[in-house]
Amino acid sequence: MDNKLYNVAIYIDYENVYKTLLGQNKNLLRLGFFEKIQKWCKGKNLRIVKIIAYCNFDNKDLMESRHQTRLQEYGVNTVHTSNRGKNYADLQITIDALNDMYINENIDEFIIMSNDKDMSPLLNSIKLNKRKGTLLTVGQSYDFAMCNVPDEHITLDDILSIEMDGNLYIERVEDNVQENIENYAKSN
């Protein structure tokens, strides 16, 4: 059995994923994604050395729900990707992943979480540079031809099928909020 740890960097086109899940009244936080991806990685001897979510966090719903703060509570780096309303997450993910690939030889695998076919050239570059490129897609709203590009294709459902022991972090946060509301109501 291979006990060697492999370093992985995860780049999430968060706005793309968020909008895809929004139609199903779901989001990555409520689904326990960040805890489950950690467990999934541990099961594959992968050590997450970097995880970044790229998004226009000025989106009203994301701002009101303090999404960026919640992501940071999970240890996720966040990059605000908006310029006068135009989201440039794809471009920033590509630049960051290529920089990391050329500067940091310690990253063995690059996981790109997006349904956007614009990620295909990045995944090809990762493979050309003798690194493992993995595509993580959400739902069915992606170009299936894109799945031929990475070394591995996984789905959000693959990650979400992982069983967790105990409560998820978001459930503890919700319990705390509920308790604060109840205490406030009692005091008034």
Side-chain angles (χ1 to χ4, degrees):
M1 183 168 141
D2 184 11
N3 289 329
K4 180 181 177 196
L5 282 176
Y6 297 92
N7 293 332
V8 63
I10 303 172
Y11 306 84
I12 303 170
D13 185 347
Y14 198 80
E15 191 163 343
N16 177 288
V17 171
Y18 180 79
K19 287 180 179 177
T20 300
L21 291 173
L22 189 61
Q24 304 167 25
N25 295 315
K26 298 178 181 177
N27 72 52
L28 289 182
L29 298 175
R30 287 289 308 131
L31 294 170
F33 171 77
F34 294 100
E35 290 151 309
K36 291 180 179 190
I37 191 76
Q38 288 177 359
K39 189 170 181 179
W40 181 84
C41 285
K42 283 181 184 176
K44 296 186 73 156
N45 289 345
L46 298 173
R47 174 180 36 225
I48 300 172
V49 295
K50 177 182 273 195
I51 183 166
I52 307 173
Y54 299 80
C55 186
N56 175 4
F57 290 103
D58 285 343
N59 172 303
K60 184 179 180 196
D61 182 39
L62 291 169
M63 189 182 302
E64 289 176 355
S65 64
R66 301 180 64 225
H67 237 77
Q68 189 171 16
T69 300
R70 295 287 177 236
L71 289 169
Q72 292 169 349
E73 289 172 352
Y74 280 100
V76 176
N77 292 322
T78 59
V79 176
H80 180 72
T81 55
S82 177
N83 186 358
R84 296 185 186 193
K86 172 68 176 127
N87 180 8
Y88 58 88
D90 299 352
L91 181 59
Q92 192 63 54
I93 289 170
T94 300
I95 291 168
D96 288 353
L98 290 174
N99 279 336
D100 287 340
M101 184 172 54
Y102 292 122
I103 293 170
N104 190 342
E105 294 181 18
N106 292 323
I107 298 175
D108 302 300
E109 181 173 352
F110 292 79
I111 297 177
I112 310 299
M113 185 176 192
S114 179
N115 285 2
D116 197 330
K117 65 183 174 185
D118 290 347
M119 292 294 140
S120 294
L122 171 60
L123 289 161
N124 277 322
S125 292
I126 291 167
K127 289 187 336 184
L128 281 170
N129 283 278
K130 301 176 184 171
R131 311 286 182 92
K132 183 176 181 184
T134 300
L135 176 65
L136 173 53
T137 57
V138 178
Q140 301 298 315
S141 63
Y142 60 90
D143 185 341
F144 288 93
M146 204 169 91
C147 300
N148 296 322
V149 177
D151 294 304
E152 184 176 3
H153 171 238
I154 56 177
T155 67
L156 177 61
D157 289 338
D158 295 331
I159 304 301
L160 297 180
S161 68
I162 294 172
E163 294 291 325
M164 297 298 293
D165 303 323
N167 286 347
L168 297 172
Y169 175 73
I170 195 71
E171 292 168 345
R172 293 191 304 269
V173 169
E174 288 173 340
D175 290 345
N176 190 22
V177 168
Q178 182 66 32
E179 185 178 313
N180 288 342
I181 291 170
E182 289 171 4
N183 288 340
Y184 177 79
K186 288 176 186 174
S187 69
N188 291 316

